[in-house]
Structures are given as structure tokens and as C-alpha cells.
Amino acid sequence: MTALQDRPQNVRRAPLPLFGKAFSDSWRGLLGWGVGLAAAAFLYLPIYPSMSGASGMQELLDNLPPELIKTLNYDQIGTGAGYTQATLFGLLGFLLLSIAATGWGAGALGGDEESGQLELTLAHGVTRVQVAMARFFAIAVKILALSALLFLVVLVLNDSAQLEIEVGDLLGTSLIFAGVSLLTASVALLGGALTGRRIGGIAGGTTVAVLGYVFNALGNQSASLEWLHTLSPYYWAFGDSPLSTGANVTTTIVFYAASLVLAAAAAIALRQRDIGV
Amino acid sequence: MSHAALGHSTDIRGDGTSPGAAIEVVNLVKRFGHNRALNGVSFQVPRGTVFGVIGPNGAGKTTIMRALLDIIRPTSGQATVLGTPSRNAGPDLRRRIGYLPGELVLEGRTSGRRLLQHYADISGPVTAGHVNELAERLGLDLDRPVRKLSKGNKQKLGIVQAFMHQPELLVLDEPTSGLDPLMQQEFLRMVREARNRGQTVFLSSHVISEIQQAADEVAILRDGRIVTINSVEELRTTAIRHLRLVASGIRPTDLAAILGALQGVTTLDCTLTATGDAEAVATLSGAIAPFVQAIGALQVRDLVLEEPDLEESVLKLYSAPVAAAVVTK
């Protein structure tokens, strides 16, 4: 038995190993999403001056059916903030970050369990709650990083593209943009934790993102459908044009708090289940 | 010999210092829906011993191991591991266990070394240099990306992962699967060394040969029940082997007479080969020595005495339902 007692007690260990692993496993993916988001910004924003000037924009709007304009949130497109909101935060950026968030959320627990790797991690000196929360925070940091990148890119282009967006409004919008994406990710996390399958998480995350977008678009169409806005996280985030009027602080906090609650629910769900069966 | 007796409760004192069993499983039942994966399994593994579980796929080996690690929760019954109930056991217990899953999945671009470092970070501590030592013994390249490793090399990485922090208890599910015979021998040496250091090893297999070399005791599991728990010696004598023997200078009928007189030889069939030799095909159970002596006088041209086949021999022996007498109630 002596050999067992000879085990070393002071060996260097990485701080926050679970968080660090969750993060380092996906930095390539993070880089890819970052490039995509930045490309979307560089694609849309620099052409704003040419579109807003003279007749170009108005001509485009006149030719579009009003329902489509409302769906795409193009009704504010005549201002720099409205244009950035409609094309970037509300459309391509939202799409990219929602996909990333859903993938990360679904993969973190559901995907890892389905592949069989979670079993080995949980057989080590960790609790399931630690694993779930560490992976949630890793996702949160990645989403915030992408959102921060978008903030910087828009800030850089603000003058040259004549967007005239207030820095404070841009910051608030970036935070609420990250918040709605984090909500999507945490629903995906919960779906994966409940089902033990990646598809369970993808279904959850997709529901939040797609239904949020669809309910917002339908609610835009007529007063009788406006009630759908109350069901749309997309509307909660972008409904009162945060890029021109500033993000609602309470709503922003609610997004992060709700995400945290959902992550805790995922952790508890994971704790109750048989893994990998 | 059997540690399966239910009645006498052991000297587990619940303070983690019990000198008694490393594993004590009492009447473990696990249902998945209507399917009963474990049907009242009880056994004890004394500290410092190697305990093997054999049984066909689906017998419940993996389910027992997962229950010990708290990866799944039994429907009823109790498993006590190193003096601590496994259900909802904290990380401290699992740090004292090295686990190799039966279906080992290792993916990702990360290198073997970095993956092991990660597991050491959450379960360690690991003696400096020990990982390299283990990898060298198994001939494993730690700097390759994990996803590029062959099945055998992934298995080696899994073995290193289970052994590296020298845990008090090793729980190894089909540890030799994917390893070539040389590496299987090296692995069995590692198991023996672990036992000599005082570590307890609980391992499973569907191949009887690898267990009989390493284990002190063997439990045979079938349909979620332990059929019997034997020492390896006891098991060996009950095993059935296939044999094929070709001898020259003897007529098939004479060969049949010699072999047929031996105890344990069944399904004997002696024929004349195209080359004029006598060929005998039979099954042999029990000790080999009388058989070897009996053929000593023959001009043996070819002899094949197969490893005992678990599927055929042990399970056939214990296929009668009464066999459950040894275990449980």
C-alpha cells in the first residue's frame, strides 16, 4: 500500500480546467465565426452611403411588397442605425450567431454525451453541475467575444460608412445581441442535457431563434398579430430599435439572467439522468 | 471462495478507511424501461485483488461498471466503492478510481498528451514522468492528434488515462479490446504490478483467456445475473476446449479408443486423412494433463488445443437456471 501513499500532492494544475478545455476545444470554430461576422459587416456597412444617397434606397423600398419590408425590418432602413440593425444585427449577424449559439449549446452536453465522451469526463473528479456550468460559461464568453468583435467592426466603420451610430447605443445593442444569442444557446444546452442527444439541443435552440424571428415578422404585419411580439425573444431584443434609441437595460439583464437560470436547469437535469444510455 | 454471499454484511465502516472490500455490490437492479439490465447482482471485491467479470455482450458488465462510477443510477440495490456509496458520490471518490469505458470515444484535434493533462487537471495528481513511462510501455505516441489515432492507440490512451494517477481502484471495461497480443501481455503485466502495489482492479471481458491470466477471481455474468463466482483455477477446470489431433502410424479406431477412454473428452470423431494419418476432433473439459499423457506415446503430427471458448463452454455449463444457487438469494 505504500506506493499509494507516495502519490504527489503538489503538482501544477491548470486553473479552471473544465472551462479552459471547453474553450480551447473550439477556438478554431470561434475564429471562423468571427471571420464570418466581420465579413458580413464589411459586406453591408460600407455600401450604406451609396444606398442611402439619392434615389437608390427609396427606389428599392418602393419596389418591395410592404409585408416583406416589415419582415426584414427595412422600415427604418433610411438611417444608419436602422440600416445596420436591419442588415447586420437583425439579419445576417443574428443568423450567424444563432447558428453558432445553437451548435455550441447542443454540442456542449447533448452532443458530448451522444458521442460517448461525456461519460469519461464524468468518471473523473468533477460533478455534473461543474461540467454543465463550466461549459455554459465557456459558451457565454465565446458569444460575448463575437459580439465584442462586431461592436468593434461597426465602430471602425461608423465614420467611413456615415452610419452616425452613438457608441453607447452600439454597446447596448451588442450586449443585448449577445444576450438573445446566449438565451438561444442555453435553451440548446438544456435540450441537450434533457435528451442526451445533440438533436434535442438543436431543436431547442432553433425553436428560440427561428420562432423568435418568425413571431417578430408576423407581429410586424398587422395590429391583430402584434401580440406575437410578446413571444419573440428577437422582438424583446430588437423591437424598440436599440441601435438608435439605446438598449433597454432591464431587458438586457433579463436575457442574461434567464440564460443563467436555463443553464442551471440544464445542470440539474444532467445531474438526475443516467448518462450515455 | 465465493464473495457473493449476501447474508453477512461486511465491515465497511463508511469512513473511507475500511480495510474490507474495495467494491461491495448488494442486490443491484437496473431497469431500462421494461428491460432489466441487472437482475439482482451481488458481489464483493477484496482490496488488493484483481476481479474479473466475463459474460457475453449485453450481460450487464458495462452497466455494473457505470453504476460504480455513478454514471447511471441503479433502480434498486446498493454499490459501495472504497467505503463510499457510489450513488451521488462526489468527485473525491472518483479521483480515487481509474476508469476505462467499454466504448471509448476520443475525438478532437488535441494531442494525447494534452488530453491526458486535462484529465490529470481534473482528477490527478499525476507523478511527473509517469504518463511518459506508461506511454512508452504501450508504444503510444502522445503527440499525435487524438482523432488520428487508430482504435488500438485510442485504447492505449484510455488505459494510460485510467492508470496514470495510480488510483486505489481501477475499473476497466473490456480493457484489451483493440490491442494486439503483445500489448495485451504488457497490459496484463501492468494489472499485476498494480495489484502488487496494493491497487484493486475490477475488469471485464468477453474473452476468458485474458481474464484468467490476470484475475484472482472471476464472476460470470449472464442476462443481468451473476451465474457463478470462482477462482480462476476452478474456472479453468470447468472450461471446454476444442481439440484437433493428427497422428501417424495409428488407425482411427485405435486413436478413438485411447482418447475415448479419457475423462472429459466428448463429441469425439476420428477419421482417416488423405495422407493416411488418423485425425481426431473432440472437445475436452477439465484437466489437460491426462490428455497430454495419453497422447505422449503417439506420433503426433499436428495438435490444436484451442483456448477455452467462453460462449460455448462456461455459459453452456451454467445455462441451467438452477445454477443461480451460488449467488443472490
Side-chain angles (χ1 to χ4, degrees):
Chain A
M1 289 298 265
T2 49
L4 291 180
Q5 279 137 24
D6 290 344
R7 295 166 61 192
Q9 294 306 316
N10 296 308
V11 175
R12 185 190 63 83
R13 291 196 202 182
L16 300 175
L18 289 170
F19 173 85
K21 171 105 171 102
F23 200 82
S24 67
D25 277 353
S26 55
W27 66 267
R28 279 185 183 81
L30 182 64
L31 213 63
W33 289 111
V35 169
L37 268 181
F42 280 110
L43 197 72
Y44 275 114
L45 301 187
I47 59 171
Y48 171 71
S50 62
M51 293 199 66
S52 65
S55 57
M57 185 72 74
Q58 201 52 48
E59 210 168 280
L60 173 74
L61 289 177
D62 288 345
N63 284 327
L64 289 177
E67 293 81 4
L68 183 60
I69 291 173
K70 286 173 184 163
T71 297
L72 294 172
N73 307 298
Y74 275 12
D75 34 8
Q76 301 286 321
I77 209 165
T79 68
Y83 177 81
T84 308
Q85 172 62 45
T87 57
L88 200 57
F89 286 97
L91 194 64
L92 203 50
F94 176 77
L95 180 71
L96 289 176
L97 207 55
S98 293
I99 294 172
T102 301
W104 286 331
L109 296 177
D112 202 40
E113 178 177 345
E114 190 173 10
S115 78
Q117 296 191 108
L118 185 62
E119 177 182 349
L120 187 55
T121 301
L122 294 181
H124 280 271
V126 292
T127 66
R128 297 186 189 184
V129 171
Q130 284 171 348
V131 171
M133 294 315 287
R135 290 179 180 181
F136 167 74
F137 285 116
I139 293 171
V141 167
K142 286 190 282 191
I143 287 175
L144 282 167
L146 288 180
S147 178
L149 175 75
L150 198 58
F151 168 83
L152 287 174
V153 171
V154 174
L155 196 64
V156 164
L157 293 172
N158 199 13
D159 282 347
S160 63
Q162 301 162 27
L163 299 171
E164 296 171 0
I165 299 170
E166 298 288 333
V167 175
D169 294 345
L170 178 59
L171 182 65
T173 302
S174 300
L175 282 173
I176 208 165
F177 174 60
V180 69
S181 304
L182 188 59
L183 185 78
T184 300
S186 46
V187 171
L189 189 77
L190 178 61
L194 284 170
T195 59
R197 300 281 180 274
R198 181 183 295 272
I199 191 71
I202 288 175
T206 309
T207 302
V208 174
V210 173
L211 281 190
Y213 189 85
V214 169
F215 284 172
N216 175 72
L218 287 174
N220 287 349
Q221 302 297 325
S222 73
S224 63
L225 290 174
E226 240 178 51
W227 62 273
L228 283 170
H229 282 157
T230 57
L231 299 177
S232 166
Y234 181 96
Y235 180 83
W236 306 336
F238 302 131
D240 23 326
S241 312
L243 217 42
S244 46
T245 62
N248 186 313
V249 175
T250 314
T251 311
T252 308
I253 292 171
V254 165
F255 272 123
Y256 288 92
S259 301
L260 196 60
V261 169
L262 285 162
I268 291 165
L270 189 71
R271 202 175 59 175
Q272 308 306 322
R273 286 190 33 246
D274 290 339
I275 300 302
V277 294
Chain B
M1 202 60 213
S2 164
H3 289 263
L6 232 191
H8 72 286
S9 184
T10 49
D11 49 357
I12 298 293
R13 288 172 295 193
D15 57 4
T17 61
S18 163
I23 301 173
E24 185 187 28
V25 172
V26 180
N27 212 8
L28 209 61
V29 173
K30 180 61 188 177
R31 288 194 202 93
F32 295 114
H34 293 295
N35 177 25
R36 284 170 85 98
L38 293 180
N39 226 332
V41 169
S42 302
F43 65 91
Q44 281 184 34
V45 179
R47 286 191 188 235
T49 64
V50 179
F51 190 94
V53 181
I54 48 178
N57 295 329
K61 305 183 296 273
T62 298
T63 306
I64 292 176
M65 293 188 163
R66 286 179 168 173
L68 297 179
L69 271 299
D70 194 38
I71 289 163
I72 64 164
R73 277 64 181 265
T75 309
S76 66
Q78 209 192 0
T80 307
V81 179
L82 301 172
T84 309
S86 69
R87 194 187 183 93
N88 294 322
D92 287 342
L93 175 61
R94 287 190 294 277
R95 282 199 185 97
R96 298 162 65 195
I97 307 175
Y99 176 56
L100 176 69
E103 285 165 36
L104 181 66
V105 181
L106 297 170
E107 290 169 357
R109 297 168 189 269
T110 187
S111 70
R113 191 182 303 282
R114 294 190 58 155
L115 188 66
L116 291 174
Q117 182 59 47
H118 170 65
Y119 289 127
D121 287 339
I122 59 179
S123 261
V126 173
T127 314
H130 192 46
V131 164
N132 284 336
E133 196 183 303
L134 289 170
E136 213 163 284
R137 283 185 74 167
L138 293 169
L140 171 64
D141 181 357
L142 288 173
D143 295 314
R144 295 193 63 195
V146 167
R147 59 175 186 170
K148 295 241 171 93
L149 293 177
S150 67
K151 183 179 180 335
N153 280 323
K154 283 185 182 176
Q155 189 73 5
K156 290 175 192 173
L157 193 58
I159 290 170
V160 174
Q161 169 271 145
F163 277 77
M164 65 182 180
H165 55 300
Q166 301 195 339
E168 287 167 64
L169 172 66
L170 286 150
V171 177
L172 310 170
D173 194 355
E174 305 262 355
T176 57
S177 89
L179 297 186
D180 62 49
L182 269 178
M183 283 305 136
Q184 289 189 13
Q185 291 306 316
E186 189 61 39
F187 166 77
L188 293 173
R189 267 194 290 280
M190 286 167 60
V191 167
R192 281 191 290 267
E193 288 168 19
R195 180 184 54 189
N196 294 341
R197 273 194 302 268
Q199 291 167 274
T200 308
V201 184
F202 179 58
L203 76 167
S204 75
S205 178
H206 60 272
V207 187
I208 193 170
S209 59
E210 63 181 46
I211 285 222
Q212 73 182 21
Q213 287 184 57
D216 300 307
E217 279 190 292
V218 177
I220 295 169
L221 196 68
R222 193 170 59 91
D223 296 335
R225 281 182 190 281
I226 290 187
V227 179
T228 177
I229 301 180
N230 287 105
S231 73
V232 169
E233 282 315 307
E234 288 167 337
L235 193 67
R236 205 191 298 264
T237 57
T238 60
I240 298 176
R241 300 159 187 275
H242 287 267
L243 76 85
R244 193 176 69 86
L245 180 140
V246 179
S248 57
I250 187 169
R251 286 182 303 168
T253 47
D254 295 336
L255 184 60
I258 292 171
L259 296 178
L262 291 169
Q263 208 175 9
V265 172
T266 47
T267 62
L268 178 63
D269 182 25
C270 291
T271 52
L272 193 65
T273 65
T275 54
D277 299 327
E279 182 185 78
V281 176
T283 55
L284 175 67
S285 65
I288 300 173
F291 167 74
V292 175
Q293 280 165 10
I295 65 168
L298 300 178
Q299 289 176 281
V300 177
R301 296 177 61 90
D302 191 12
L303 173 63
V304 178
L305 190 55
E306 286 179 6
E307 279 288 330
D309 183 292
L310 174 76
E311 220 57 51
E312 248 184 306
S313 57
V314 182
L315 290 184
K316 196 180 282 177
L317 268 180
Y318 295 102
S319 59
V322 288
V326 191
V327 208
T328 64
K329 284 154 256 187

